[in-house]
Amino acid sequence: MKEIIIILIGVLISTVGVVMIYDARAIAKDRFSSNEINETTKMLKIVGFIVALIGALIIYF
């Protein structure tokens, strides 16, 4: 039972990372000013990739 809960948490973390990568431009437009959109999009994609990797590692181990 504990293993299933840990796997579900890993899947949720991975999902958040993938959504962050996919919707980075839309998130940046909503939250930040227009001159910061490109840099913010790049940072959101990097953070999303790292979060997705963490979730995948939780699932793997």
Side-chain angles (χ1 to χ4, degrees):
M1 184 68 183
K2 190 165 77 170
E3 295 169 0
I4 294 172
I5 292 172
I6 291 173
I7 289 173
L8 287 175
I9 291 171
V11 168
L12 288 174
I13 292 172
S14 293
T15 304
V16 168
V18 170
V19 168
M20 193 181 297
I21 293 169
Y22 184 74
D23 290 338
R25 177 79 54 184
I27 294 169
K29 283 182 181 178
D30 290 341
R31 305 280 184 220
F32 300 100
S33 65
S34 62
N35 59 354
E36 298 176 338
I37 289 178
N38 288 333
E39 290 183 27
T40 305
T41 301
K42 183 172 66 172
M43 290 305 295
L44 284 173
K45 286 185 178 188
I46 291 169
V47 170
F49 180 73
I50 292 170
V51 169
L53 269 175
I54 290 170
L57 287 174
I58 289 172
I59 295 170
Y60 183 72
F61 293 115

